[in-house]
């Protein structure tokens, strides 16, 4: 059964059968903003462009690589981005992830000890105005979910209101074993580069 992640929760990467996850997907699903019409009549949908990104660091907190909509693969090919979604779900929640980043631990550069996932609102749209937004970690591919490992609901977190970027969580090595820390913290950053620097300073 999937774990409903809480902020600051640390979990080991173990499947229901007791084996360790070697390939994981981090998927983000979100919806367009609903704009109400005059006196409650009509209305429209405003496209939302959220950007999921991944930053790789060594044990000394040195940045090794960043995977985002402008760089869809890490140098070692272990991290891959599904591509930029510019709108979100315009017709309501379709249950599918808008952006997915896949991570193959076996293929990772051995120097990588921290893999951080962050989310930025490209157009500066407030997280608090987005009708639904969720993160899930699962085994499978961007088009197939084998087993959901953990889920994280960010739409219902009141602390995200007024923010346009957040640190989702960090995979890290401890005693030669990969674990996950669900950070779940909004930041005051406006751009990806700033958010990566925040991760480096505060969360590694």
């Amino acid at each position: 059964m999937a774990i409903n992640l809480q902020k600051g929760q640390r979990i080991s990467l173990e499947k229901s059968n007791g084996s360790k996850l070697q390939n994981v997907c981090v998927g983000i699903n979100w919806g367009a903003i609903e704009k109400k019409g005059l006196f409650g009549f009509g209305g429209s949908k405003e496209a939302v462009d959220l950007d999921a990104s991944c930053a790789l660091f060594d044990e000394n907190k040195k940045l090794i690589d960043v995977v985002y909509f402008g760089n869809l693969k890490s140098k070692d090919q272990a991290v891959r981005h599904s591509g930029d979604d510019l709108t979100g779900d315009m017709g309501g929640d379709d249950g599918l992830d808008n952006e997915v980043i896949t991570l193959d631990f076996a293929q990772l550069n051995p120097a990588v000890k921290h893999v951080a996932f962050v989310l930025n609102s490209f157009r500066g749209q407030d997280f608090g105005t987005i009708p639904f937004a969720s993160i899930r970690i699962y085994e499978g591919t961007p088009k197939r979910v084998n087993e959901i490992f953990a889920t994280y609901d960010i739409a219902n977190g009141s602390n995200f209101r007024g923010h346009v970027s957040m640190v989702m969580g960090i995979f890290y090595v401890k005693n030669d074993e990969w674990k996950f820390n669900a950070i779940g913290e909004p930041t005051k950053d406006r751009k990806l580069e700033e958010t990566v620097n925040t991760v480096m300073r505060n969360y590694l």
Side-chain angles (χ1 to χ4, degrees), residues 13 28-29 51 57 84 89 105 107 128 134 155 181 185:
L13 302 181
I28 299 90
N29 178 36
D51 290 327
F57 302 88
D84 196 10
D89 292 348
F105 290 107
Q107 212 173 340
S134 62
N181 181 11
E185 286 282 359

Side-chain angles (χ1 to χ4, degrees), residues 13-17 19-27 100 102-103 136-150:
L13 302 181
E14 190 172 278
K15 298 197 293 184
S16 57
N17 64 5
S19 63
K20 300 297 181 184
L21 279 172
Q22 289 300 316
N23 298 276
V24 297
C25 297
V26 177
V100 180
T102 59
L103 170 59
R136 60 180 178 176
I137 303 169
Y138 63 91
E139 183 183 39
T141 71
K143 297 184 181 299
R144 187 189 71 251
V145 178
N146 292 344
E147 179 180 351
I148 297 176
F149 176 64

